Amino acid sequence: MAVIFSKLIQSLATEYAMILKRLLLLLLTFCVGTVFAQQLAKMQAIHPFELSGSIRDSLTGEPISNAVIRLNFDKIGLYTDTSGTFTVMLTEADYVLIVSRLGYRPHRVKLSLNHNIRLDIKLMNVAKELEEVVISTQAVDENVTRPLLGVTQMNIKTIKKLPAIMGEVDVLRSLQMLPGVTSVGEASNGVNIRGGSVDQNLILLDDAPIFNPTHLFGLFSVFPPDAVSSMDLYKGTTPARFGGRAAAVLDISMANPSLEKFSLQGGVSFVANRLTAEIPLVKNKVGLLITGRGAFNDFAFQWGPAKLKNIRASFGDAAAKLFWRINEKNTFSLSNYYSTDFFQTDLLGGINNINSVSTQYDYNTINFTARWFHIINDRLNVQTTGVFSQYRPRILLPELNSDNKVTIGSEILQRQVKTNFNYIPNKRHKVEFGANMTHYQLQPGTLNPGSNQRVNAQSVPTENGIELALHAEDEITLNPKTTVSVGLRYSYFMALGPAAVRTYMAGAPLTEATVIDSVFYGSGKATKSYGGFEPRLGLRYTLNEQSSIKFGYNLMRQYLQVVSNTTTPLPTSRWKMSDSHIRPQVSQLFTVGYFKNLKSNIYEFSLEAYYRITENILDFKPGADFLLQNYIETQVLQGKSKAYGVEMMATKKRGEVTGWVNYTYSRVLNQVNQGTQFTERINDGKWYPSNFDRPHSVNMSLNFAENKYHSLSLTFTYGTGRPYTIPNGFVSFQGKAYPYYAERNQGRIKDYHRLDFSWQINNPSLKDKRWVGSWIFTVYNLYGRKNQYSVFLKTQGTAYTTYQLQIFASPIVSLAYNFKFM
């Protein structure tokens, strides 16, 4: 029994050992399997899915090698091979894939990687895409090939991307980002180009002159942005077809309406609302463009400080253009433009016996342009244009305890007819010739007292004048390296009666005390005439396919000018035609430049130097008063001006990041030495800085467009402070201090600088629809620079205090919404 029990125990032990061995082996297998499974799971978690793709040129289809592959904006050391492909193993997650290659626009795509993905990506060659920033002439290389200097074209797309004050797209402010273009401050009425005064610029909207290019004393420009198609600035070589101004020409063209489909666009901002419609009246034949903008938000002044409670401000502008395609050889267009402004502030000063409670400015412009374009044959065409332009500024003085308003007004009326022929006899010649006649009529000032019997009505005699001009220009390609543009303009101006022309004592100042005679000329009789040839020359010599040097010369005459004793002329500033005592301004401009394009015209570089001498500039006598003055020659002096400078500019026109940077060094000096007496000389007859002398300026603009849905823009501007006049001392009389001035413009305000930012979101729904909207968020004066606009003194007994005027001394945040329906 014991033996049997012993064998049973031994058998069980052996069986147990075998079971235990199997269990241990199974446990070991489980543990190893578990560890292997975990490691396999980890390995599978590290590289579960494959992301691959092929990168090709969007136009040629050729593979792009060495393209950089980035994930979530981090470099991973991956590049495409010679066949333009790449492969990478990634975990399951969301990624942003960026593919980039020098010379191509980067491609971005968002992926949710939960399976193997293969991409077929086509990169846009930057050299082949449309220009995002157009700061050149029309063709991509014309800045190198054309024999013209100082010619700039800005695309309206570029203008709309620049940060704008209060969200309002502004043509004139965008111009100030270019070299050689400045203003005297935030709220300046116009721009100063290469040191010229505001009235020395010929500003045209569809060939019609604009005498006051700003709303609200310079805060906004008058050009409706949705109706503008292009803008050409001639600050160097000016084509012979332009004349009548001494500094520059700004030629703005309105867009032609679509002849195929209806579209509607507009915008809403804190300042103004606008709406533009393009209406095909007869398909492929007749179209109509209508645009309007209005600002009626002056209720906001009620929310400001008490000193702003009485301010009222509003403006509006409207334009229309009818375009008729008569047949294959004839087209006709009719343009109309209207703008109006109203501004009310506290009383600025008393006039005669008028007991006014406030000062109101009310001014408007109305223009018409008719054009007929006719193709005579393949080489010759002709365009005939008729222009009507009227500008009417007024000062309204509401009287105390009365409904009566005393009105001080003036008017400029210009009518013009011109014909221009374009003839291309062969590839080496481009010939342009024509003629024009312009009639000017000025009403310098009227005073209408209304029902006020204590004030006498006044009217300054109307001025009339006719300007006749002939011009011809030939652009000749002498050889593959040399092209010359030779132009000649002849202008002839006659001041016409009725007019009374005074004779003053020889060698004496022109004052009331030196008048010895007066001669009356009847209506249509010529009281004085001026004229002469105005040669234009442009020479281009090509160094190689992408660089050239140029030389230019201009002579221009100006018969119509502004007389003002302020740095920025008010809307009511007086215009004056040349006559027996006011000679026309004559300017001569010499320019030389070097131009170079790089990387298939993606980059442009220019370096220009200029020197301009202008005869017969106008400056005011100390204490001059122009209001309702019959004989303005007693209030002004004439002298000469010299302006010189160097302008450098670099531009990147295409790609994800576009923009430009420029630097200008310029000086503008005047000399007035009309006689030996103190009242006939300024600063003792020595050269002195003009109001527009700002030696240094720097402008930078940067636009980042990651895709078609949004873009970011930054602009920075810096400029030397402009001159102003400070007292040379004070005279004490009866306990009060009175400043006296022996010199003009011997001080300077502080330097100006400002940074602006804008973020534009296009079509936020990311879907292609007929209705497309965009939001524009803008911060003007991002870091709140307290820029000086002017400095003035206030006496207190025998002491005085210096005050400074600042227009925008803090950041201005704005949000605007634009839309388009197609």
Side-chain angles (χ1 to χ4, degrees), residues 377-547:
N377 54 48
D378 293 341
R379 297 182 177 181
L380 179 64
N381 62 67
V382 58
Q383 179 169 278
T384 302
T385 306
V387 173
F388 173 91
S389 181
Q390 183 185 56
Y391 173 55
R392 301 181 64 186
R394 297 188 303 166
I395 300 176
L396 307 177
L397 301 172
E399 293 192 285
L400 182 65
N401 301 323
S402 172
D403 294 333
N404 184 55
K405 289 184 179 181
V406 178
T407 302
I408 300 173
S410 61
E411 180 182 15
I412 305 174
L413 181 63
Q414 178 173 325
R415 288 166 285 197
Q416 184 180 37
V417 177
K418 59 184 179 179
T419 299
N420 197 68
F421 291 84
N422 287 278
Y423 177 54
I424 305 177
N426 52 57
K427 293 182 179 180
R428 297 179 58 189
H429 287 266
K430 296 179 182 178
V431 181
E432 183 178 317
F433 57 94
N436 73 75
M437 180 179 70
T438 306
H439 175 253
Y440 303 102
Q441 186 178 82
L442 301 186
Q443 173 45 259
T446 60
L447 188 152
N448 183 358
S451 60
N452 189 332
Q453 298 181 356
R454 303 187 311 273
V455 178
N456 295 324
Q458 295 184 51
S459 180
V460 178
T462 300
E463 300 179 26
N464 288 275
I466 287 182
E467 181 182 353
L468 306 173
L470 300 172
H471 72 272
E473 193 166 50
D474 189 3
E475 186 175 311
I476 312 167
T477 301
L478 301 177
N479 54 55
K481 287 185 172 291
T482 309
T483 300
V484 179
S485 175
V486 180
L488 186 62
R489 177 184 179 88
Y490 181 82
S491 64
Y492 182 75
F493 175 82
M494 293 182 293
L496 302 176
V501 179
R502 283 177 166 182
T503 302
Y504 296 87
M505 293 175 57
L510 306 186
T511 65
E512 296 293 331
T514 60
V515 177
I516 59 175
D517 195 8
S518 180
V519 178
F520 181 80
Y521 292 82
S523 178
K525 299 293 184 180
T527 64
K528 186 67 176 179
S529 63
Y530 298 96
F533 289 101
E534 302 176 20
R536 316 286 168 87
L537 174 66
L539 172 65
R540 183 267 300 168
Y541 180 79
T542 302
L543 301 175
N544 52 52
E545 290 185 356
Q546 293 192 316
S547 62

Side-chain angles (χ1 to χ4, degrees), residues 590-794:
F590 301 85
T591 52
V592 62
Y594 171 74
F595 300 82
K596 185 174 182 62
N597 289 0
L598 299 169
K599 302 290 184 181
S600 301
N601 300 312
I602 297 172
Y603 299 92
E604 288 184 0
F605 173 79
S606 64
L607 173 64
E608 292 188 54
Y610 66 91
Y611 179 84
R612 183 176 66 233
I613 187 74
T614 306
E615 301 287 342
N616 305 325
I617 64 163
L618 281 176
D619 214 331
F620 62 94
K621 291 181 178 180
D625 181 12
F626 304 127
L627 185 63
L628 301 174
Q629 176 61 248
N630 283 358
Y631 300 97
I632 202 73
E633 66 267 16
T634 63
Q635 305 296 312
V636 298
L637 298 171
Q638 291 197 274
K640 59 183 178 180
S641 171
K642 61 180 178 182
Y644 54 89
V646 177
E647 301 169 354
M648 293 181 287
M649 183 166 182
T651 305
K652 184 176 184 289
K653 301 196 297 180
R654 295 183 293 274
E656 186 178 40
V657 178
T658 57
W660 65 87
V661 58
N662 59 66
Y663 165 76
T664 302
Y665 172 78
S666 64
R667 296 303 309 270
V668 193
L669 304 173
N670 292 346
Q671 185 184 53
V672 177
N673 189 11
Q674 196 166 306
T676 58
Q677 296 191 19
F678 173 77
T679 57
E680 297 177 288
R681 310 168 76 180
I682 296 177
N683 287 20
D684 199 29
K686 300 176 183 178
W687 291 98
Y688 63 95
S690 82
N691 294 329
F692 319 110
D693 180 61
R694 304 182 68 183
H696 303 281
S697 67
V698 177
N699 298 297
M700 291 184 287
S701 176
L702 181 68
N703 181 264
F704 175 74
E706 177 185 334
N707 52 48
K708 65 180 181 179
Y709 297 113
H710 70 88
S711 63
L712 302 174
S713 295
L714 281 169
T715 59
F716 173 79
T717 183
Y718 165 85
T720 306
R722 63 171 177 81
Y724 77 103
T725 302
I726 58 178
N728 293 87
F730 290 84
V731 175
S732 179
F733 180 71
Q734 295 183 349
K736 292 184 178 181
Y738 297 92
Y740 71 88
Y741 301 87
E743 296 181 358
R744 190 172 296 182
N745 288 351
Q746 77 276 42
R748 285 189 184 272
I749 65 174
K750 295 180 181 178
D751 290 358
Y752 180 99
H753 53 87
R754 189 189 77 244
L755 178 67
D756 305 329
F757 166 80
S758 75
W759 178 22
Q760 182 170 333
I761 305 172
N762 300 311
N763 196 14
S765 66
L766 306 184
K767 296 180 180 179
D768 293 330
K769 296 181 178 180
R770 294 188 68 187
W771 180 281
V772 178
S774 64
W775 291 93
I776 303 177
F777 172 75
T778 304
V779 183
Y780 183 87
N781 195 10
L782 189 63
Y783 52 79
R785 166 71 174 177
K786 298 181 184 298
N787 287 302
Q788 289 182 336
Y789 179 77
S790 64
V791 177
F792 58 95
L793 305 176
K794 185 175 182 180

Side-chain angles (χ1 to χ4, degrees), residues 230-509:
S230 65
M231 180 175 66
D232 296 317
L233 174 64
Y234 300 93
K235 58 180 180 176
T237 310
T238 303
R241 66 181 179 273
F242 295 115
R245 296 295 188 273
V249 176
L250 177 60
D251 186 19
I252 301 175
S253 298
M254 286 179 58
N256 288 329
S258 172
L259 302 181
E260 297 181 356
K261 62 179 182 179
F262 171 83
S263 68
L264 190 71
Q265 63 177 314
V268 179
S269 71
F270 178 76
V271 174
N273 306 318
R274 66 184 192 278
L275 186 66
T276 301
E278 295 184 56
I279 310 168
L281 300 178
V282 179
K283 192 169 184 180
N284 296 323
K285 277 284 187 182
V286 183
L288 178 65
L289 180 146
I290 303 175
T291 184
R293 176 175 60 165
F296 309 101
N297 300 330
D298 58 358
F299 61 86
F301 290 109
Q302 302 300 311
W303 305 338
K307 62 182 179 181
L308 301 180
K309 297 294 185 181
N310 294 328
I311 290 182
R312 298 290 181 271
S314 63
F315 69 83
D317 47 55
K321 187 170 186 178
L322 178 73
F323 183 79
W324 178 20
R325 182 183 292 160
I326 303 172
N327 53 43
E328 293 182 356
K329 291 191 173 184
N330 294 276
T331 62
F332 175 81
S333 67
L334 178 64
S335 305
N336 169 240
Y337 170 78
Y338 174 78
S339 81
T340 183
D341 269 76
F342 178 82
F343 184 83
Q344 173 184 294
T345 186
D346 292 331
L347 185 64
L348 297 181
I351 300 177
N352 296 336
N353 297 319
I354 304 171
N355 190 11
S356 177
V357 296
S358 64
T359 301
Q360 298 176 348
Y361 295 91
D362 181 16
Y363 48 100
N364 60 72
T365 296
I366 184 167
N367 289 349
F368 291 93
T369 302
R371 285 176 177 162
W372 172 43
F373 179 77
H374 174 61
I375 299 176
I376 299 173
N377 54 48
D378 293 341
R379 297 182 177 181
L380 179 64
N381 62 67
V382 58
Q383 179 169 278
T384 302
T385 306
V387 173
F388 173 91
S389 181
Q390 183 185 56
Y391 173 55
R392 301 181 64 186
R394 297 188 303 166
I395 300 176
L396 307 177
L397 301 172
E399 293 192 285
L400 182 65
N401 301 323
S402 172
D403 294 333
N404 184 55
K405 289 184 179 181
V406 178
T407 302
I408 300 173
S410 61
E411 180 182 15
I412 305 174
L413 181 63
Q414 178 173 325
R415 288 166 285 197
Q416 184 180 37
V417 177
K418 59 184 179 179
T419 299
N420 197 68
F421 291 84
N422 287 278
Y423 177 54
I424 305 177
N426 52 57
K427 293 182 179 180
R428 297 179 58 189
H429 287 266
K430 296 179 182 178
V431 181
E432 183 178 317
F433 57 94
N436 73 75
M437 180 179 70
T438 306
H439 175 253
Y440 303 102
Q441 186 178 82
L442 301 186
Q443 173 45 259
T446 60
L447 188 152
N448 183 358
S451 60
N452 189 332
Q453 298 181 356
R454 303 187 311 273
V455 178
N456 295 324
Q458 295 184 51
S459 180
V460 178
T462 300
E463 300 179 26
N464 288 275
I466 287 182
E467 181 182 353
L468 306 173
L470 300 172
H471 72 272
E473 193 166 50
D474 189 3
E475 186 175 311
I476 312 167
T477 301
L478 301 177
N479 54 55
K481 287 185 172 291
T482 309
T483 300
V484 179
S485 175
V486 180
L488 186 62
R489 177 184 179 88
Y490 181 82
S491 64
Y492 182 75
F493 175 82
M494 293 182 293
L496 302 176
V501 179
R502 283 177 166 182
T503 302
Y504 296 87
M505 293 175 57

Side-chain angles (χ1 to χ4, degrees), residues 191-210:
V191 291
N192 310 110
I193 300 175
R194 288 184 169 175
S197 58
V198 171
D199 66 302
Q200 289 179 332
N201 305 320
L202 176 63
I203 301 178
L204 302 173
L205 179 62
D206 260 14
D207 282 327
I210 301 294

